[in-house]
């Protein structure tokens, strides 16, 4: 025993020789798994003087492990010994020893867990008097008072037993479920009545002297009520005590929790209704002292549970009209408390009611669906509910918007609260659009008018007003998003009035950062208003470009406004003509690029990722500039001038950096170059797309071409840096859309610069990019694609031939497979498949074919498998010879017969191929299409090959081979597919 105690202390000690700790841990495991380990540990647990608490805890762990996992190894004598020893411990520790601090709480809890596991094994078979024995420990010879320590342990044990046999949220094996059901059935036959009486007696005895014991008694009543006879609790004695305890400062929370458990007990709807009528909880609510926030929150939870249960009864289809009326009458009596607690200043109290609110709104939505109009009281409640919901969206007085000292969790919790409240507001809008619109209009307009009149408003009121207007656009259907009346475009709708008032009130100048930010969010959401009222556009633009928006002193507001302004300009592009010059001149100072050292932040799971930088938002400004410069109304030569003003500082910055040369100690050098290149690409992104396969002809083209050349110079010099490759690829993707075929001469240099050093992640992005280029510039890009195919394919093979070192690399290689196959498909789609068989590339076709064949045979990746057979189908259509006519691709027919056709049989015959799987079925469809296409193109030659060469090679009987050939000749697509499926199934059986 001493050895075990020493080993536990060594194992748990914070310091010490690591090798000794390892030996100690190993020894403890040996004791735990030894057949007699539990005996040694039980002796250690019971020895006098007591062992150290850590060793006694370990001893109980070993006993617990034996009872839970190796009970079958114990004989009847061993079980009886454990039972007697545990009873000896209980008498000694909780009856004879009156020192309240003689046992640590974690030992008491672990002892209760061990005894619970023993109980589950021996009750009612070999220990039918378990509960009577436990209650006897609690009782004194005289009957009162009870043994206080024994009472505490007994109640903890009862809680533990309920968790073991009745908790529904713990996954259990079927045998355990059957065992637990039998235990509960036996307890209901007698012991549960004794327990309920004992809990109540202990509650009454200790309510004034030991709060912890009284709380445990209430906890047991609440826990067991779910599966015991309701009359054991819902009777005059218990309920009177419960209602009294709601007035007891120390026990009222526990009493409220217990009452909530009683209310939520599963019962038949009408039985539950009768019980709730009898309990009459609403009458008690009015008499409660609600000065303590914690008790208020628990009372809100009680109201929530009661409301949920009543709504459940009301919405039950089997409850008749009388029952529904009675249930709704009780609901109506609860509604004032719902509103009261929902409006509470503490958010935890408010959120406690959310389920009840949701159920009420479900009742109203169901009523609307049934075309039953809301009653007057229902309309009044809905109006009051909307008012509370909107007011709860306001920042509380303790919160300072954007205050870095505030906990991020607090802001996140408030955002979550707002999100849920918005859902309620949306539901109310769906139930009564008229009520919603009227209320929101009054809230917004009243606040705006107060602001215009010079009244001093708290920033929280202003922010709420603007936020409420923002949510308006999500709550109503698109049809309601009208700003002028259909029959009179000179008059505004209620939404039009609110937006107009917001713009003209100059509320964007309110001296708190939350106001201008929400103002800009709103005008972007309601940009269509300015299509109807263009006279308000100058005021909105002025707010955007001054210190309220793009030039706001706070970077958080400023960077968000850069994005919002980009959206605003993009959506109102046709209306921006008169303001191009003034807007561009006001943005000039914002286009200066200054690289910053990257900062990392953590994801929700703790993974570090780069934080969004100022430059990320600045890119939106460059794109906005491109959009404004490229407007059709701007004269072509002015476009050139504007574009030079924007691009020349960027190009000059690149030249200056290149002339200085790269200093490895300058960590911002590459980042600065990257930013210059990205900014040029973003300006190009703002320009319109040129039509497919054509070239841009505007005078500004030459300005972009000059920028293109210097970007290529950067790439050629620093293509070993991923930052530069990413930026070059980004910019050229934008040049292609706005310059068209003018970019083609630069593509070979670009692609070679990107390929030589690219990583697999870049290649996965690059292949779709090349496919897009091929499609956009077919057929004029044929020569370029012919030249680039081999370097591109070689780079793909370099990666595909590597062995992945982990799951992430394996996933990237799977993605590369798909990207490679899709690239081949894109060549066929662009009618550029000729580059695969050109004089330059024909000698490498066999390698390409065999890589696709390898993917086609891989049953572990049906998605790529289907794509691979799809490529073969395209190749067969394009290159397979027709009967009596030689094919135009030498050696392809030989590949078809030697490799492809055998694969169309080998793949579905493989045991790993599951035709019942949806993706595999798609693969099978491609396979049957290849076979049918080969027959259509070569008919007799194909069938003779099957009968005389292929089928004999796989030992297929000749009659089966001939039936197969007959099917492919006579059946349509669906019939042949069905036949082939049966053919494969028979071959595999």
């Amino acid at each position: 025993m001493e050895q075990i105690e020493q080993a536990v202390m060594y194992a748990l000690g914070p310091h010490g020789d690591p090798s000794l700790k390892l030996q100690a841990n190993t020894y403890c495991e040996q004791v735990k798994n030894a057949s007699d380990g539990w005996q040694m540990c039980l002796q250690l647990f019971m020895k006098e003087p007591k062992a150290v608490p850590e060793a006694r805890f370990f001893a109980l762990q070993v006993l617990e492990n034996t009872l839970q996992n190796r009970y079958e190894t114990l004989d009847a004598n061993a079980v009886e010994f454990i039972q007697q020893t545990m009873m000896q411990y209980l008498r000694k520790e909780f009856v004879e020893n009156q020192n309240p601090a003689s046992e640590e709480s974690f030992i008491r809890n672990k002892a209760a867990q061990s005894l619970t596991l023993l109980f589950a094994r021996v009750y009612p078979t070999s220990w039918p008097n378990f509960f009577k024995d436990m209650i006897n420990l609690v009782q004194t010879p005289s009957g009162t008072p009870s043994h206080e320590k024994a009472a505490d342990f007994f109640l903890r044990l009862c809680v533990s037993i309920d968790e073991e046999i009745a908790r529904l949220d713990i996954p259990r094996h079927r045998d355990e479920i059957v065992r637990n059901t039998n235990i509960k059935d036996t307890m209901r036959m007698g012991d549960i009545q004794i327990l309920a009486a004992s809990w109540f007696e202990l509650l009454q005895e200790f309510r004034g002297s030991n709060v912890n014991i009284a709380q445990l008694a209430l906890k047991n009543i609440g826990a067991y009520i779910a599966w015991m006879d309701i009359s054991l609790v819902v009777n005059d004695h218990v309920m009177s005590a419960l209602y009294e305890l709601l007035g007891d400062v120390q026990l009222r929370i526990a009493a409220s929790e217990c009452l909530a458990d009683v209310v939520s007990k599963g019962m038949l709807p009408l039985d539950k209704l009768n019980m709730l009528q009898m309990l009459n909880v609403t009458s008690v609510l009015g008499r409660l002292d609600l000065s303590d926030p914690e008790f208020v929150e628990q009372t809100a939870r009680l109201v929530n549970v009661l409301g949920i249960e009543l709504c459940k009864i009301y919405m039950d289809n089997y409850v008749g009209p009388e029952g529904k009326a009675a249930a709704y009458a009780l609901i109506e009596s609860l509604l004032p408390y719902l509103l009261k607690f929902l409006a509470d200043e503490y958010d935890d109290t408010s959120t406690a009611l959310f389920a009840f609110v949701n159920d009420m709104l479900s009742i109203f939505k169901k009523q609307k669906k049934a075309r039953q109009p809301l009653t007057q009281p229902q309309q009044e409640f809905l109006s009051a509910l909307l008012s509370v919901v909107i007011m709860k969206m306001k920042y509380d007085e303790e919160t300072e918007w954007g205050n870095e000292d505030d906990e991020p969790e607090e802001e996140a919790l408030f955002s979550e609260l707002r999100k849920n409240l918005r859902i309620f507001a949306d539901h109310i809008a769906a139930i009564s659009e008229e009520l919603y619109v009227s209320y929101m209009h009054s809230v917004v307009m009243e606040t705006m008018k107060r602001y215009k009149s010079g009244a001093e408003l708290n920033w929280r009121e202003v922010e709420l007003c603007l936020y409420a207007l923002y949510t308006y656009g999500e709550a109503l259907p698109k049809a309601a998003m009208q700003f002028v009346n259909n029959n009179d475009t000179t008059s505004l709708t209620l939404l039009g009035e609110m937006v107009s008032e917001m713009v003209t009130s100059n509320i964007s100048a309110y001296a708190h950062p939350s106001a201008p930010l929400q103002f800009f969010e709103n005008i972007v959401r309601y940009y269509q208003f300015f299509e109807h009222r263009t006279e308000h556009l100058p005021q909105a633009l002025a707010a955007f470009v001054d210190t309220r928006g793009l030039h706001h002193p706070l970077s958080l507001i400023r960077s968000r406004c850069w994005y919002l302004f980009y959206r605003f300009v993009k959506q109102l592009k046709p209306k921006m003509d008169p303001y191009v010059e003034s807007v561009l001149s006001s943005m000039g100072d914002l286009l200066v690029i200054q690289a910053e050292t990257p900062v990392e932040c953590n994801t929700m799971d703790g993974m570090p990722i780069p934080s969004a930088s100022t430059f990320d938002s600045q890119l939106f400004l460059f794109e906005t500039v491109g959009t404004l410069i490229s407007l059709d109304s701007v004269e072509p030569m002015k476009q050139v001038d504007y574009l030079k003003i924007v691009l020349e500082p960027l190009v000059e910055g690149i030249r200056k950096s290149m002339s200085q040369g790269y200093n490895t100690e300058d960590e911002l050098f590459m980042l600065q170059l990257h930013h210059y290149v990205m900014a040029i690409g973003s300006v190009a992104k703002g320009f319109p797309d040129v039509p497919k396969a054509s070239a841009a002809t505007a005078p500004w083209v030459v300005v972009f071409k000059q920028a293109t050349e210097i970007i290529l110079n950067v790439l050629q010099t620093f293509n070993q840096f991923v930052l530069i490759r990413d930026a070059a690829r980004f910019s050229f993707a934008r040049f292609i859309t706005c310059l068209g075929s003018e970019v083609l001469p630069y593509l070979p240099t670009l692609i070679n610069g990107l390929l030589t050093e690219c990583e697999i992640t870049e290649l996965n992005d690059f292949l779709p990019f090349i496919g897009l280029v091929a499609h956009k510039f077919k057929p004029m890009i044929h020569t370029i694609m012919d030249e680039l195919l081999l370097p591109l394919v070689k780079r793909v093979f370099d990666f595909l031939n590597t062995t992945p070192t982990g799951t992430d690399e394996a996933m990237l290689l799977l993605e590369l497979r798909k990207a490679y196959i899709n690239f081949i498909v894109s060549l066929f789609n662009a009618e550029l498949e000729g580059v695969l068989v050109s004089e330059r590339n024909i000698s490498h076709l066999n390698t390409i074919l065999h890589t696709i064949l390898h993917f086609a045979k891989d049953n572990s990746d049906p998605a790529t498998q289907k794509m691979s057979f799809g490529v073969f189908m395209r190749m067969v259509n394009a290159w397979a010879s027709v009967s009596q006519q030689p094919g135009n691709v030498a050696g392809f027919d030989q590949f078809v017969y030697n490799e492809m056709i055998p694969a169309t049989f080998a793949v579905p015959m493989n045991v790993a191929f599951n035709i019942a799987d949806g993706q595999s079925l798609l693969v099978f469809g491609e396979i049957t299409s290849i076979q049918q296409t080969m027959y259509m193109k070569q008919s007799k030659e194909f069938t003779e090959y099957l009968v005389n060469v292929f089928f004999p090679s796989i030992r297929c009987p000749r009659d089966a081979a001939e039936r197969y050939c007959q099917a492919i000749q006579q059946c349509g697509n669906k019939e042949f597919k069905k036949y082939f499926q049966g053919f494969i199934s028979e071959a595999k059986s």
Side-chain angles (χ1 to χ4, degrees), residues 217-276:
L218 288 166
K219 185 174 183 178
N220 275 291
I221 294 170
Y224 282 78
I225 191 67
W227 55 275
M228 70 181 188
D229 187 347
I230 190 72
S231 65
L232 295 174
V233 175
V234 180
N235 55 56
D236 289 344
H237 296 298
V238 178
M239 295 314 299
S240 297
L242 265 185
Y243 285 156
E244 281 177 28
L245 292 175
L246 288 173
D248 186 314
V249 173
Q250 292 183 302
L251 291 173
R252 59 189 179 185
I253 290 178
S256 179
E257 288 173 345
C258 182
L259 186 55
D261 289 329
V262 172
V263 168
S264 59
K265 177 178 172 61
M267 298 171 67
L268 293 172
L270 292 180
D271 291 343
K272 172 65 72 69
L273 178 61
N274 290 334
M275 182 189 79
L276 295 179

Side-chain angles (χ1 to χ4, degrees), residues 132-179:
K132 292 185 178 72
D133 290 346
M134 296 302 141
I135 292 171
N136 286 337
L137 291 174
V138 176
Q139 294 171 342
T140 56
S142 61
T144 55
S146 303
H147 291 300
E148 194 166 313
K149 285 177 66 179
D152 179 90
F153 182 83
F154 164 66
L155 291 169
R156 289 177 192 277
L157 176 64
C158 290
V159 170
S160 179
I161 287 172
D162 178 73
E163 289 176 351
E164 176 64 24
I165 68 173
R167 281 275 294 273
L168 299 177
D169 57 344
I170 300 174
R172 302 184 190 281
H173 191 271
R174 178 170 175 77
D175 293 343
E176 288 182 308
I177 295 172
V178 172
R179 179 203 70 185

Side-chain angles (χ1 to χ4, degrees), residues 935 942-948 951 959-971 976 979 983:
Y935 172 73
F942 180 61
T943 55
E944 285 181 354
Y945 160 77
L946 291 175
V947 171
N948 299 323
F951 283 131
D959 60 335
E962 289 176 349
R963 284 198 303 275
Y964 178 86
C965 291
Q966 188 177 3
I968 203 169
Q969 293 173 57
Q970 296 177 358
C971 295
F976 176 69
Y979 172 82
F983 179 87

Side-chain angles (χ1 to χ4, degrees), residues 726-751:
D726 283 347
R729 190 172 67 248
F730 170 85
S731 293
F732 266 83
R734 274 68 195 168
F735 293 149
I736 284 168
T737 59
C738 74
L739 298 179
S741 57
E742 289 287 336
V743 177
L744 290 182
Y746 303 107
L747 284 181
T749 307
L750 169 74
I751 293 170

Side-chain angles (χ1 to χ4, degrees), residues 713-978:
N713 185 22
V714 174
L715 178 64
Q716 288 174 308
T717 308
F718 297 115
N719 72 332
Q720 69 270 36
F721 295 97
V722 66
L723 269 177
I724 300 303
R725 296 196 300 272
D726 283 347
R729 190 172 67 248
F730 170 85
S731 293
F732 266 83
R734 274 68 195 168
F735 293 149
I736 284 168
T737 59
C738 74
L739 298 179
S741 57
E742 289 287 336
V743 177
L744 290 182
Y746 303 107
L747 284 181
T749 307
L750 169 74
I751 293 170
N752 285 320
L754 293 174
L755 276 181
T756 52
E757 298 286 344
C758 78
E759 299 172 1
I760 187 169
T761 50
E762 296 173 79
L763 198 53
N764 281 336
D765 292 335
F766 189 58
L767 285 168
F769 168 70
I770 296 298
L772 180 69
V773 171
H775 178 74
K776 190 171 181 69
F777 297 114
K778 64 177 184 181
M780 65 180 74
I781 200 173
H782 186 281
T783 305
I784 294 173
M785 290 303 299
D786 188 43
E787 178 186 336
L788 292 172
L789 180 69
L790 279 185
L792 193 59
V793 170
K794 181 181 181 304
R795 196 70 180 126
V796 172
F797 290 170
D798 287 343
F799 285 113
L800 290 178
N801 290 330
T802 60
T803 303
T805 57
T807 307
D808 290 346
E809 280 191 28
M811 292 302 296
L812 287 171
L813 286 172
L814 282 175
E815 288 176 22
L816 183 58
R817 281 184 176 196
K818 293 184 176 70
Y820 168 62
I821 298 293
N822 274 325
F823 169 68
I824 303 293
V825 170
S826 70
L827 294 179
F828 279 90
N829 289 340
E831 299 172 0
L832 293 170
E833 67 273 15
V835 302
L836 294 166
V837 294
S838 67
E839 184 178 350
R840 186 197 303 266
N841 301 322
I842 186 66
S843 61
H844 298 275
L845 176 63
N846 195 48
T847 305
I848 294 172
L849 291 174
H850 276 85
T851 57
I852 299 171
L853 181 69
H854 174 72
F855 302 152
K857 289 180 176 180
D858 186 357
N859 282 309
S860 68
D861 184 12
T864 309
Q865 198 175 33
K866 188 250 180 197
M867 293 163 61
S868 301
F869 277 115
V871 170
F872 280 151
M873 181 68 190
R874 304 290 290 268
M875 290 176 172
V876 167
N877 275 320
W879 300 332
S881 60
V882 181
S883 296
Q884 310 303 320
Q885 298 177 24
N888 56 2
V889 178
F892 182 71
D893 278 2
Q894 185 180 359
F895 172 80
V896 171
Y897 282 111
N898 291 345
E899 304 288 353
M900 191 190 301
I901 295 303
T904 63
F905 286 91
V907 166
M909 283 184 178
N910 191 296
V911 292
F913 189 87
N914 179 15
I915 193 98
D917 175 68
Q919 286 189 308
S920 296
L921 192 60
L922 295 175
V923 175
F924 192 74
E926 295 287 354
I927 287 172
T928 54
S929 297
I930 288 172
Q931 294 197 14
Q932 287 181 296
T933 303
M934 280 301 296
Y935 172 73
M936 284 188 288
K937 296 196 85 170
Q938 300 187 2
S939 56
K940 186 178 179 182
E941 297 156 71
F942 180 61
T943 55
E944 285 181 354
Y945 160 77
L946 291 175
V947 171
N948 299 323
V949 179
F950 176 70
F951 283 131
S953 74
I954 62 169
R955 298 181 180 177
C956 175
R958 188 172 182 86
D959 60 335
E962 289 176 349
R963 284 198 303 275
Y964 178 86
C965 291
Q966 188 177 3
I968 203 169
Q969 293 173 57
Q970 296 177 358
C971 295
N973 292 345
K974 285 185 179 178
E975 292 83 359
F976 176 69
K977 186 176 179 181
K978 187 176 181 182

